Amino acid sequence: MNAHAPGYRTFAPSDACDYLRHLGLFTANEPLECDEIGDGNLNLVFRVRGAGKSLIVKQALPYAKVVGENWPLSLDRARIEGEALLEAAKVIPAHVPKLHHLDPVLALTVMEDLSHLTIGRAALIQGRYLPLLGGHIGDYLARTLYATSHFALTPREAKALAARFVNPDLCNITEDLVFIDPYFDRPSNDFPEALRPTLERHWADQALKREVAELTRLFLSQGEALIHGDLHTGSLFVSESDTRVIDPEFAFYGPLAFDIGAFWANLILSSLSHRGHGLENEARRAYRRFLYDTLETSWRHFERGMREQLAAGSVDPFAAVEGYFDAQLQRWFSEAIGFAGCKAFRRIVGLAHVADIESIQDPAIRLEVKQDALELAASLIKRRGEFVNVEALRAYLESAIDDRQGDNR
Ligand code: SR1
Ligand code: MG
């Protein structure tokens, strides 16, 4: 597939080596090893190892790898990803990979190799405790979202930045696969037939669809900040002490709460999934507590980080008006809960699933977990305005999820 843009060609591993030598990132004679390690839905990812260092070359394909060449996708997403990483690095360099090079013609980025870390989703499936994860993500969200919001940028500055992140192809994936298809009987959906009666009930639920329509409208029209756009646990590299946010190719000016909800949805799915992963009751309860702590801490860090930055100075002339920022925080909180519901619902019904649940070996437990995830997701979407604070949300999740776990208490 080489004919899509002048100068673009799809790399083989040897091309990635030659390219890095040409850039001077490795010397001409240095022996290099290169593997294509991409396991995501969209791109090629090469790891190139020399004697003393290792680098990642990530190249966009002109189509969605997971579906095939009949789903064309803009190559511009590589530029968007690279530039979004640079924007994040300006405000929170500790939590993104270092970008060494961006080539918009070949649609590739050259980045720090983070293979010493683990993909967040894999770490959660293994039941690893990551005590800093919630705080790191809350800080990342506060820094990246505030810095690109109308609290930090003048309307003119924000419009100039938003113009660099117009991302219709990738937004369209989210519009269809997250917001629309899972709420109708569409061919792109992928779910076990045993879920059909439950889905028929949700598809007929006008209250649910009204809320999803409202959240879809926010995604389509609320350009509040430069958001990551796909902040699930597969977009994280983690360890007990380090967290890096990768893959911002879905970045655009969108609703600020979408990233928060995406992260929460994946914590919620993880907490439901552990019923199928072999931990004993007490260990499972303890791990769920860690996941709820992570969600709660992410919000606390986000809220504190947003308030601190506002206090340090804002271009918004209304910033100091009593109650104004509190109301924004409350709105983001309830929108995040709604987006979390949508992001959880789509992982059960839609095209793209999560390994947390798909890797459950027992088919009966896997089905029950899917059923539980659908009920909880629908209820979060419909009740998103009822939660007064993160303690109330946590208490609700604890009772809703713990009740479905079948632990012997
Ligand atoms: C065709 S892409 C499917 C999903 O993978 C990405 O990570 C996004 O979540 C997208 O919806
Ligand atoms: Mg991705």
Side-chain angles (χ1 to χ4, degrees), residues 157-379:
E157 288 168 337
K159 284 177 179 64
L161 190 59
R164 288 172 38 211
F165 290 94
V166 174
N167 199 357
D169 279 12
L170 284 275
C171 284
N172 189 237
I173 291 178
T174 305
E175 288 147 16
D176 286 347
L177 298 190
V178 176
F179 288 108
I180 300 173
D181 294 359
Y183 302 93
F184 299 89
D185 194 1
R186 292 271 170 102
S188 79
N189 288 334
D190 177 15
F191 56 84
E193 267 313 295
L195 283 183
R196 186 170 283 279
T198 308
L199 282 171
E200 301 277 6
R201 175 167 50 79
H202 288 307
W203 291 336
D205 182 343
Q206 299 301 295
L208 174 66
K209 282 183 146 168
R210 262 198 308 281
E211 292 302 326
V212 174
E214 176 65 20
L215 291 159
T216 308
R217 195 187 60 77
L218 294 179
F219 187 82
L220 290 171
S221 61
Q222 186 164 261
E224 283 185 297
L226 178 62
I227 67 170
H228 178 285
D230 197 26
L231 192 55
H232 55 82
T233 45
S235 295
L236 305 177
F237 267 112
V238 299
S239 73
E240 282 62 22
S241 57
D242 196 357
T243 307
R244 309 292 187 95
V245 177
I246 61 167
D247 277 5
E249 66 195 312
F250 284 72
F252 78 112
Y253 253 71
L256 182 158
F258 187 72
D259 285 350
I260 308 170
F263 180 59
W264 289 358
N266 283 264
L267 297 176
I268 290 168
L269 292 176
S270 172
S271 64
L272 285 163
S273 74
H274 272 282
R275 202 182 145 197
H277 288 310
L279 288 177
E280 294 303 321
N281 289 342
E282 190 45 50
R284 205 158 75 208
R285 275 198 289 277
Y287 199 66
R288 288 203 301 274
R289 275 199 299 279
F290 152 70
L291 293 166
Y292 306 139
D293 285 346
T294 302
L295 186 153
E296 193 175 337
T297 306
S298 70
W299 177 259
R300 292 195 189 289
H301 276 241
F302 169 73
E303 176 173 357
R304 191 177 65 206
M306 293 296 274
R307 287 192 190 281
E308 282 172 1
Q309 291 174 96
L310 189 85
S314 171
V315 300
D316 183 338
F318 298 102
V321 171
E322 201 176 311
Y324 167 54
F325 200 67
D326 294 332
Q328 300 307 308
L329 281 163
Q330 193 58 37
R331 176 174 63 78
W332 292 326
F333 179 63
S334 64
E335 288 174 3
I337 297 169
F339 287 133
C342 292
K343 294 284 272 182
F345 201 91
R346 63 80 61 115
R347 293 295 189 185
I348 308 300
V349 186
L351 177 84
H353 293 197
V354 287
D356 315 53
I357 294 177
E358 296 308 322
S359 64
I360 295 174
Q361 294 298 306
D362 183 324
I365 295 182
R366 190 166 63 239
L367 186 65
E368 282 177 23
V369 168
K370 289 186 178 190
Q371 191 98 40
D372 291 346
L374 280 183
E375 296 309 330
L376 181 56
S379 135

Side-chain angles (χ1 to χ4, degrees), residues 8 19 33 39 65 85-86 93 106 112 123 144 167 177 204 218 231 246 248 283 315 329 344 349 369 400-401:
Y8 177 83
Y19 187 80
E33 272 181 33
D39 61 356
K65 190 170 82 173
L85 284 175
L86 291 173
L106 284 166
E112 176 183 10
T144 55
N167 199 357
L177 298 190
L218 294 179
L231 192 55
I246 61 167
V315 300
L329 281 163
V349 186
V369 168
I401 296 174

Side-chain angles (χ1 to χ4, degrees), residues 132-144:
L132 303 182
L133 175 64
H136 285 168
I137 294 298
D139 293 343
Y140 166 89
L141 291 166
R143 288 282 155 189
T144 55

